[in-house]
Each structure stands twice: as structure tokens, then as C-alpha cells.
Amino acid sequence: MYTIKEKINNEIIINKSRFITYIYKVNTEEEVKDILDSIKKEYKDATHYCYSYILGNIKRFNDDGEPSHTAGMPMLNVLENKKLDNVLAVVIRYFGGVKLGAGGLVRAYTNSVSEAINKGTIIPILKKYKVRIEFNYTDIDNINYYLKDYKITYKEFDYNVIYEFIYEEDNYPNNIDSFIIKKKPII
């Protein structure tokens, strides 16, 4: 699976209608809602705010008043065909006075999202793992040094020190295992 590195935007004009596309990297449905609310405020005079998003197994789309399955579904198809995840695609349409018909709308929304994606940087999604390690107090400076670029999610100071931290696939911290008394994968 892949995602985008950063927000992407693009604009195309088809038969006097203006299609403004934004693609966002998102992690929650709450983020999706917040972004949509923000877009509707920024482009308050637009005719349509069509969107689609993929968050793992959650896939949603909305035609926002366009004929059924002529906007959101074609946008979702582009995201799926590009094997994207954790993304939201929004197309803001300003109607230009010329009706495009169902086929024209499908092509317009498909092309709008495709062109935007082609402008951006696609990156692989790496799996994340959480591990719990236990080590001696005497090694705390070494462990802190080796984990300085990792997210430590839990610390416990008992007979030994216990840390939980997250690392990405193929990015386990070097040289740390020699200090560990116990190691337990969590996710």
C-alpha cells in the first residue's frame, strides 16, 4: 500500500466548469470531517464538494448533489487503482453553465483526481511495530541515545527500566539488543 507524502492540489477547467482537487494524507475520520468543514468554509460559493477517502478497511465517497456515482465513486476508483491508503480526495466544482452528462462527469472527476495524484509524491506505507524492552539502569543513557529518533510510548522504572517504543518496518534501532534483558513484541 501507498500514501501521499504531502497535500496535493490541482485545478482543471472542463467546458467552463472549474474542478479544484485536493488530496490529503489522513489518519482518522475526524480529520476527514475537519478538512471537509474547512474546505466548505474556504470555497463557500462552490456548487459541489465531492469526496472519497480510504482509511484501511473504511472506504467512503460522496457525490454531493452530482448524479449518483458520477463523482465520488470514480474518485474512489482512482485511489484504489493507485493502491492508496490513508488519503482523502476532495474535488470542489464551480459549475460553468454547460452540462457534462454522466459520462462527462465521470471523466472529469476521474481526470481531476488522477492529475492531482500525478503531481504529488507517492510513498510506501511501512508497517509499524511496538516493542517492550527491559534493561538495566546502567544502560539508560545508551538506550536513550539509540532511541532518540523513535517514539517512546511508555516508561517504567522498577527493578529494571521498561520502555515501549514504536518503530517502522526495516527500521529497528541498531545496537540496542546488546543492552536488553527482555524483549516482547506488542503489535
Side-chain angles (χ1 to χ4, degrees), residues 12-185:
I12 60 175
I13 295 176
I14 300 172
N15 287 344
K16 299 181 184 177
S17 281
R18 189 172 156 210
F19 295 84
I20 304 166
T21 303
Y22 286 97
I23 305 193
Y24 298 87
K25 184 175 183 178
V26 291
N27 293 306
T28 65
E29 287 189 289
E30 187 64 32
E31 277 183 83
V32 169
K33 182 187 176 310
D34 292 345
I35 290 168
L36 291 171
D37 289 346
S38 173
I39 283 176
K40 288 176 182 177
K41 285 178 187 169
E42 183 177 348
Y43 296 95
K44 57 182 169 256
D45 55 341
T47 315
H48 301 282
Y49 310 91
C50 303
Y51 66 87
S52 65
Y53 63 90
I54 301 175
L55 289 168
N57 293 329
I58 301 169
K59 298 178 182 183
R60 305 258 193 275
F61 66 88
N62 187 310
D63 294 316
D64 191 41
E66 294 283 27
S68 185
H69 300 293
T70 60
M73 178 63 88
M75 294 165 59
L76 182 63
N77 289 338
V78 172
L79 301 180
E80 289 176 325
N81 289 337
K82 298 281 187 178
K83 295 180 175 39
L84 294 176
D85 197 358
N86 290 67
V87 292
L88 163 66
V90 182
V91 179
I92 301 122
R93 181 181 181 200
Y94 286 92
F95 181 63
V98 178
K99 290 189 178 188
L100 302 178
L105 288 171
V106 169
R107 283 188 296 280
Y109 283 100
T110 298
N111 291 341
S112 191
V113 173
S114 292
E115 283 186 25
I117 290 171
N118 290 338
K119 285 179 68 175
T121 303
I122 305 298
I123 57 172
I125 295 177
L126 299 175
K127 290 183 182 177
K128 292 187 179 185
Y129 300 95
K130 184 185 260 188
V131 67
R132 175 182 279 231
I133 59 172
E134 185 175 331
F135 54 94
N136 292 317
Y137 278 91
T138 56
D139 296 321
I140 199 163
D141 288 339
N142 289 323
I143 296 292
N144 285 335
Y145 174 77
Y146 289 121
L147 295 180
K148 69 181 181 294
D149 297 325
Y150 296 83
K151 182 176 181 183
I152 299 173
T153 59
Y154 177 80
K155 292 181 181 183
E156 181 180 313
F157 301 93
D158 199 7
Y159 178 73
N160 288 312
V161 180
I162 298 172
Y163 279 7
E164 289 180 3
F165 67 95
I166 297 172
Y167 68 96
E168 288 184 339
E169 176 176 37
D170 299 331
N171 193 22
Y172 185 77
N174 293 327
N175 304 320
I176 195 172
D177 284 339
S178 62
F179 300 102
I180 296 175
I181 298 169
K182 287 184 188 172
K183 178 176 163 184
K184 177 184 171 193

